[in-house]
Amino acid sequence: MENSKVNEIVTRALEDIEKADKGDVINEIRNRYLAKKSELMGLMSLLGQMSPEERKDFGKLVNDAKTRISEMLNKKQQEIAQKELNKRLEEEKIDISLPGKKVELGGRNPFYLVQDEVIEIFTGMGFSVASGPEVESDLFNFELLNIPKDHPARDMQDTFYIDNNTLLRTHTSPVQAHTMQEAKGQPVKIICPGKTYRRDNDDATHSHQFAQVEGLLIDKNINIGHLKALLTLFAKKMFGEKREIRLRPSYFPFTEPSVEVDISCFNCGGKGCSMCKGTGWIEILGGGMVHPNVLKMNGYDPEVYSGLAFGIGIERVAMLRYGIDDIRKIYTNDVRFLRQFEKKA
Ligand code: DAH
């Protein structure tokens, strides 16, 4: 009687398990059939009324039933978990054949492409890179470069004044004076790239802020041949192996003699075109031999030491090199403009 009851419970449980399709249902079935107060466990209370022989058999029957139901529940639970996992994997499948989101890159500004290249060319010739303040004193920006207070050359370099003696530097040349004073009479071989300022009305070729690379070489027996050799190499590396340079007499207060340096036109090769205004030459920088007064004021004996100096306008070189027609494009960070240069670099 009790035995058939056990079998009947097992059959019912197995049927319920078979039908279950969710983890929750399995838990509920487990509770219904195997908890302490379940029908099956309730049958255990009958053990007390049985003979030891019967008790042993019946106990075993109930235990086996419990184990069977439990095993079937576990098996079914695993099946359901696997099914749910498969379903989720199917639903959450990532289509790796889709293209990823593109990271939009700009391009390096031609200004920096040129500045880096100038630095590389001169450091390759043994120059080291110096720097100096952009907020400068009148003394270093003008006086120590042989431009006294009433000197007419100051007119060409009007700038932004902080007070009567402090200004935004108009050129990188004050770094010459700083470097010489720090070197205390020893040889010097530096370039200095940096920002410069002038009170100019901005247009296609003028900007109130621009940049230069200053060059200074001081040693015994330096002559203008060295200047020509250095700048010829620079012109060839920057504008092509076929370039020649020519030095034209000019004037800067801090050099004597002073020169403007032209390169043979890279557009027409020197025959004359609109780029070189029919002359075959394009002006690229200024330079000269360091003025004896500048050497003296900054701690060198001009009878023993001589020096060469030059100043290159970065934007001007960038505009020539890349055919940029308006200096303002260099500063406005339009990606359509910037992207054009990455490949040419
Ligand atoms: N400082 C000059 C300028 O801004 C450029 C220059 C010319 C620098 C001749 C030099 C130099 O060192 O020797 O116009």
Side-chain angles (χ1 to χ4, degrees):
M1 165 63 195
E2 291 79 12
N3 290 7
S4 65
K5 183 77 187 157
V6 173
N7 288 337
E8 189 255 319
I9 293 174
V10 172
T11 311
R12 234 189 312 136
L14 295 186
E15 270 170 25
D16 287 349
I17 293 169
E18 184 60 37
K19 275 185 261 162
D21 59 355
K22 284 206 179 67
D24 292 355
V25 180
I26 292 289
N27 289 338
E28 190 272 318
I29 297 173
R30 192 185 299 278
N31 222 6
R32 177 146 38 99
Y33 289 98
L34 302 180
K36 272 213 176 91
K37 293 199 171 130
S38 65
E39 221 180 332
L40 186 64
M41 293 302 118
L43 291 175
M44 289 296 211
S45 64
L46 301 175
L47 290 174
Q49 305 154 20
M50 292 180 184
S51 66
E53 205 46 36
E54 280 172 331
R55 201 182 294 164
K56 197 174 148 209
D57 290 348
F58 189 71
K60 185 171 185 310
L61 187 73
V62 174
N63 262 335
D64 287 351
K66 193 179 150 193
T67 310
R68 180 102 196 276
I69 294 170
S70 185
E71 276 172 7
M72 292 312 280
L73 278 167
N74 291 347
K75 200 171 146 221
K76 188 71 178 184
Q77 195 166 33
Q78 271 177 19
E79 272 173 36
I80 290 172
Q82 187 62 48
K83 243 191 230 154
E84 280 172 357
L85 180 65
N86 287 346
K87 193 164 152 238
R88 262 184 50 209
L89 288 175
E90 187 61 31
E91 280 170 3
E92 293 171 15
K93 197 153 89 184
I94 300 166
D95 183 353
I96 56 166
S97 66
L98 274 177
K101 282 205 186 105
K102 203 171 160 195
V103 178
E104 291 286 346
L105 290 181
R108 286 205 79 202
N109 194 306
F111 173 91
Y112 287 106
L113 294 174
V114 164
Q115 182 173 276
D116 287 354
E117 205 169 319
V118 175
I119 292 172
E120 200 175 308
I121 293 169
F122 284 103
T123 51
M125 293 192 253
F127 284 76
S128 46
V129 178
S131 66
E134 284 172 35
V135 177
E136 189 53 278
S137 62
D138 185 278
L139 179 69
F140 276 86
N141 196 79
F142 294 125
E143 303 263 346
L144 292 171
L145 295 171
N146 206 27
I147 315 174
K149 287 260 186 304
D150 54 357
H151 199 287
R154 288 202 178 199
D155 285 351
M156 284 159 13
Q157 302 201 355
D158 194 12
T159 183
F160 304 93
Y161 281 80
I162 313 290
D163 59 38
N164 275 346
N165 277 314
T166 322
L167 45 90
L168 298 189
R169 68 181 176 193
T170 57
H171 48 180
T172 44
S173 302
V175 180
Q176 290 191 25
H178 285 295
T179 309
M180 281 189 254
Q181 299 202 1
E182 276 160 30
K184 298 199 189 320
Q186 293 304 302
V188 163
K189 196 176 180 187
I190 57 108
I191 53 163
C192 168
K195 295 192 195 87
T196 50
Y197 304 84
R198 284 190 201 175
R199 217 222 59 77
D200 258 332
N201 289 326
D202 293 1
D203 62 21
T205 51
H206 294 86
S207 170
H208 60 281
Q209 184 196 306
F210 56 106
Q212 300 182 330
V213 174
E214 193 76 17
L216 177 68
L217 170 57
I218 297 181
D219 210 329
K220 289 172 183 158
N221 303 317
I222 298 299
N223 62 54
I224 204 157
H226 296 119
L227 180 67
K228 187 164 187 197
L230 284 174
L231 295 179
T232 301
L233 204 69
F234 167 70
K236 286 179 185 296
K237 294 232 174 180
M238 185 57 84
F239 291 101
E241 272 308 307
K242 296 220 176 81
R243 299 288 77 75
E244 297 293 333
I245 65 166
R246 74 174 182 186
L247 308 184
R248 266 184 302 116
S250 183
Y251 174 77
F252 298 104
F254 34 87
T255 43
E256 182 60 35
S258 301
V259 293
E260 296 284 356
V261 179
D262 299 339
I263 54 166
S264 55
C265 180
F266 48 83
N267 193 41
C268 63
K271 287 198 277 313
C273 67
S274 61
M275 186 144 203
C276 56
K277 301 193 185 87
T279 65
W281 296 94
I282 300 174
E283 184 188 319
I284 54 161
L285 59 96
M289 301 308 293
V290 180
H291 197 292
N293 287 350
V294 174
L295 286 170
K296 243 185 278 173
M297 280 188 282
N298 293 291
Y300 290 80
D301 179 354
E303 299 298 327
V304 182
Y305 281 95
S306 51
L308 61 83
F310 54 88
I312 305 170
I314 307 271
E315 287 89 345
R316 177 161 172 75
V317 172
M319 288 169 81
L320 287 170
R321 168 85 185 263
Y322 293 110
I324 299 165
D325 59 0
D326 192 323
I327 193 170
R328 290 167 293 195
K329 289 183 181 159
I330 293 177
Y331 308 120
T332 40
N333 273 339
D334 184 334
V335 283
R336 291 167 302 179
F337 170 74
L338 295 174
R339 283 209 192 107
Q340 299 172 55
F341 304 99
E342 202 60 8
K343 278 179 235 98
K344 293 186 192 170

